[in-house]
Every structure is written in structure tokens, then in C-alpha cells.
């Protein structure tokens, strides 16, 4: 890829999306379907997602409908039937009425991240994805953006940075932006096959530790475990052994799932979040997904918000008189909402990771006393999001 293609004589506009994760692919699909010529640059040679499950809340499902792939996702996903929080013995502290949630907001569905990636990738033109292309520097050039990368230099009308929490683009164009900060806990993620589908999901909370479980459509189970830990710590005896040591005595079916797990399936990552940025836009460049608002996973909204970003950006570009107006509107729409959700997720994580016995006893008591209706009401500002009216044109043009 040398000098990037210029806008065509027919008025076609060009965009570069940096990063081919879920947010980057969604942005590529959305921009392609409103008539933009798009290249998605990914630093790795192979395209794919890690082997973990993903909760798609009703707001994300609406975003996928706006992209024209909602039905494909629902066909490959499993609707959650039971959720809530238990203690280490298995006693329910709080239960979520998933049927009531579905009636009020729409269903919550679980899907393997790799399957969602495949659906989004298939929705892009074949020549859109450019692998093994690491962006090293981005420079604003008036009404264009210049991206330097392994294969040369590209000039484009719009650059969308979807390159994650340690975004190269953010570092280039927002040099004063705060660095990601450690949340104080680490997480292990894995997919387990016991030969039998899990009947119920949800989380279990202990003292400074948590376990979450969710059944997948193919019969396997997505399992995640969380623990307070020093930043950068690894387990000398292996991560699976550490999980069995920490959680092997918790309630069923956690010991069974850990007994069936393979060491190679365990992924461990410290949890970080991005402090609030003063803006998501500069010149003709916009931040999207974790590059803009990386959040802790406690609300399960990280990828969901990236999907919202993508369809909102495309809708505003499609309906605004010029790119600058659209990007200004994107910042006004997305920054307050995503930063609100980031704060909520952080607060949940703080309470969930309490370690002292008095604090966790009080927390568990409050969970038991809180009615389910209050939980649904608290979720309303997150789940009642609707695509902008123009977003529906994205799906219409895909037909």
C-alpha cells in the first residue's frame, strides 16, 4: 500500500480504520454501507479474535441490526436465560429477571467473540482488510489525514482509530492524553467444554475474587475469573493451577469447569481503563472503542459501546453537510455517554472486589435486599440506547 487512493471523481470519500477488532470491523462495515471507500489496517498478519465469550446487551444488538447483521448474530448466539450474583456457596444474592429485561429492552445474547468477528468480517468487501500493516505515526494535513505504516504512507479524508487502549493514533494526535491506569485486579478468561451445556450463568462474588459463567450456543461454557493482584504478576505454577487453587472449592459447577479446562485455553490479562479524554475528535481523525473509552468489564459494555460508536459515526457522516460537522456531533453524542458508562463500570468493580469481611458482608446483604426492579431501573440509561434515525439507512443500503 503506497500513496493512498484519492477521493474519486464521483464524490466518493475515503476512510482508513486503524485496528481490525470488533469496533474497527464495525466501523468499516458502517462506512462502507454509506458509500465510503474504506481500508481497515491491522498490525497482525492474521485476522481473528481471542477465544472468549461476549455478552451482547440489547443496545449492542440494536447497533448490529443497524449494521445489517443482527439476524446473523442472533442465529449464532444464545439468549441468556438466567443471570444474577451468587456467593461462594452458590446462594443467590441477586437475581435478574431476564424475561422481564428482554420485554423491556430486548434480549441479552452470548456469542463467541470469534464468531462475531467472522460475521463482521464477511460483511466487508474482500479488499477492505489489510493485514500485517502496523501504523507508526499519524499526522493531520488540513482536511486530510496522513498515516505512516509498514507499507508506505496513506492519505485519507477520515481516519478512525480503533486500535485499542494503547492506541498508536491517540499517542500521535493526543500526546497529552492520560495513560491507561490499572484497576487493581486481573482477569482470567477461557472457554471450557464439559460435554454438557450449562443450565444457568451469572457471577459469583467472594472476597476480592469473582467468577462468571455463561453458556455458549455450541454447548461450551465461557468462564472468567477475577482477583485482586499486583500489576504484572504471573502465577509461577501456571495460570490454570492458580485458578484451581483460588476457585476450585467454590460452588458447583465451578470445580467441574476448572477440572475440564486446558492450560492452553487460559488467557490472563490485567484490567486497565482509560481516564476520561477531553475529546474524541481532532481534525479529520476520530477515536472509537477502547482507543477512546477503554473501560473495566464489569458492565459488559466495552465491545457494545464500540458497536454504538461505529453506527453513530456513520449515521452522522451520512446526514451531516461535511465531515467536520459530523465529527463534532460524534464527540457530543459519544463522549458523555461512554464516560458515564465507564464511571458506572468502575464503581461496580470497586464494590465487587471488596476484600474485607465486614465490607463484603454488608455488600452481600445490600444485594439481597435490593429488589430486581431497582436493578433493571439502574440499567435503563445503559440499555435504552437507540440508533440515530439515520442509522437505519445503513441497514437499508445493505439490502
Amino acid at each position: 500500500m503506497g500513496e493512498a487512493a484519492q477521493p474519486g471523481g464521483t464524490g466518493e470519500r475515503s476512510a482508513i480504520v486503524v485496528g481490525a477488532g470488533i469496533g474497527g470491523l464495525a466501523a468499516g462495515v458502517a462506512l462502507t454501507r454509506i458509500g465510503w471507500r474504506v481500508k481497515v489496517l491491522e498490525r497482525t498478519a492474521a485476522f481473528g479474535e481471542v477465544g472468549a465469550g461476549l455478552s451482547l446487551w440489547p443496545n449492542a444488538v440494536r447497533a448490529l441490526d443497524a449494521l445489517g447483521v443482527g439476524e446473523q448474530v442472533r442465529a449464532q448466539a444464545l439468549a441468556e436465560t438466567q443471570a444474577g450474583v451468587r456467593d461462594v456457596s452458590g446462594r443467590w444474592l441477586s437475581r435478574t429477571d431476564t424475561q422481564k429485561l428482554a420485554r423491556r429492552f430486548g434480549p441479552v445474547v452470548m456469542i463467541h467473540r470469534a464468531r462475531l468477528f467472522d460475521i463482521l468480517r464477511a460483511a466487508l468487501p474482500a479488499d477492505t482488510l489489510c493485514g500485517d500493516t502496523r501504523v507508526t505515526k499519524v499526522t493531520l494535513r488540513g482536511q486530510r489525514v496522513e498515516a505512516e505504516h509498514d507499507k508506505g504512507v496513506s492519505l485519507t479524508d477520515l481516519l478512525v482509530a480503533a486500535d485499542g487502549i494503547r492506541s498508536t493514533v491517540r499517542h500521535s494526535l493526543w500526546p497529552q492524553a492520560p495513560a491507561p491506569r490499572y484497576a487493581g485486579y486481573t482477569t482470567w478468561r477461557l472457554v471450557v467444554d464439559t460435554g454438557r451445556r450449562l443450565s444457568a450463568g451469572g457471577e459469583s462474588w467472594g472476597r476480592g475474587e469473582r467468577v462468571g459463567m455463561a453458556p455458549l450456543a455450541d454447548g461450551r461454557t465461557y468462564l472468567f475469573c477475577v482477583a485482586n493482584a499486583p500489576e504484572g504478576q504471573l502465577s509461577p505454577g501456571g495460570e490454570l493451577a492458580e485458578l484451581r487453587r483460588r476457585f476450585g472449592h467454590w460452588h458447583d459447577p465451578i470445580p467441574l469447569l476448572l477440572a475440564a479446562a486446558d492450560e492452553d485455553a487460559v488467557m490472563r490479562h490485567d484490567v486497565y481503563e482509560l481516564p476520561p479524554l477531553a475529546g474524541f475528535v481532532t481534525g479529520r481523525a476520530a477515536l472509537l472503542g477502547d482507543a477512546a473509552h477503554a473501560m473495566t468489564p464489569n458492565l459488559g459494555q466495552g465491545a457494545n459501546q464500540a458497536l454504538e460508536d461505529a453506527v453513530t459515526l456513520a449515521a452522522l457522516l451520512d446526514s451531516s453537510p461535511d465531515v467536520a460537522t459530523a465529527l463534532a456531533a460524534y464527540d457530543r453524542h459519544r463522549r458523555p455517554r461512554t464516560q458515564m458508562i465507564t464511571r458506572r463500570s468502575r464503581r461496580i468493580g470497586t464494590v465487587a472486589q471488596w476484600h474485607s469481611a465486614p465490607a463484603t458482608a454488608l455488600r452481600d446483604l445490600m444485594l439481597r435486599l435490593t429488589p430486581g426492579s431497582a436493578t433493571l431501573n439502574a440499567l435503563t440509561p445503559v440499555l435504552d440506547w437507540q440508533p440515530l434515525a439515520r442509522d437505519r439507512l445503513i441497514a437499508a443500503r445493505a439490502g
Side-chain angles (χ1 to χ4, degrees), residues 154-399:
S154 297
L155 199 62
T156 186
D157 298 312
L158 170 70
L159 185 137
V160 179
D163 52 342
I165 188 171
R166 304 192 186 278
S167 167
T168 297
V169 177
R170 190 181 66 242
H171 182 73
S172 288
L173 299 182
W174 285 264
Q176 304 304 316
R181 61 190 175 201
Y182 182 48
Y185 43 92
T186 192
T187 183
W188 296 264
R189 295 177 296 159
L190 59 157
V191 174
V192 179
D193 188 358
T194 64
R196 184 174 59 187
R197 175 172 290 172
L198 192 69
S199 61
E203 292 192 18
S204 300
W205 291 8
R207 295 175 54 190
E209 296 177 329
R210 281 180 284 164
V211 175
M213 301 170 287
L216 298 172
D218 62 6
R220 296 183 296 169
T221 299
Y222 170 52
L223 181 70
F224 67 88
C225 304
V226 186
N228 296 342
E231 184 178 9
Q233 185 182 72
L234 295 176
S235 304
E239 300 303 336
L240 182 56
E242 178 69 8
L243 291 179
R244 288 170 175 166
R245 181 188 71 81
R246 285 180 176 270
F247 305 106
H249 61 284
W250 285 35
H251 67 82
D252 290 334
I254 296 170
L256 173 66
L257 292 168
L258 292 175
D262 294 324
E263 179 73 47
D264 292 343
V266 180
M267 298 172 291
R268 178 175 179 173
H269 298 95
D270 287 345
V271 177
Y272 294 85
E273 69 171 4
L274 191 65
L277 302 180
F280 289 177
V281 169
T282 183
R284 296 297 185 91
L287 300 172
L288 182 147
D290 282 354
H293 47 70
M295 59 189 68
T296 60
N298 304 298
L299 271 173
Q301 280 288 318
N304 293 242
Q305 290 304 303
L307 292 167
E308 286 188 21
D309 288 347
V311 296
T312 301
L313 177 61
L316 291 168
L317 287 165
D318 197 40
S319 61
S320 300
D322 54 63
V323 174
T325 300
L327 293 183
Y330 170 75
D331 186 67
R332 290 195 304 272
H333 276 274
R334 298 305 303 157
R335 188 156 48 90
R337 173 169 170 76
T338 55
Q339 291 178 353
M340 174 272 290
I341 293 172
T342 298
R343 290 192 299 271
R344 287 182 173 228
S345 186
R346 183 191 315 122
R347 288 196 295 267
I348 292 171
T350 298
V351 174
Q353 292 303 126
W354 281 349
H355 181 268
S356 76
T360 53
L362 176 62
R363 177 198 67 194
D364 293 355
L365 175 63
M366 294 304 297
L367 282 171
R368 288 198 301 271
L369 294 177
T370 301
S373 59
T375 302
L376 289 184
N377 289 338
L379 287 171
T380 297
V382 178
L383 303 185
D384 68 354
W385 175 87
Q386 295 286 341
L388 298 174
R390 295 286 292 189
D391 287 359
R392 298 184 181 91
L393 294 177
I394 300 171
R397 291 187 183 193

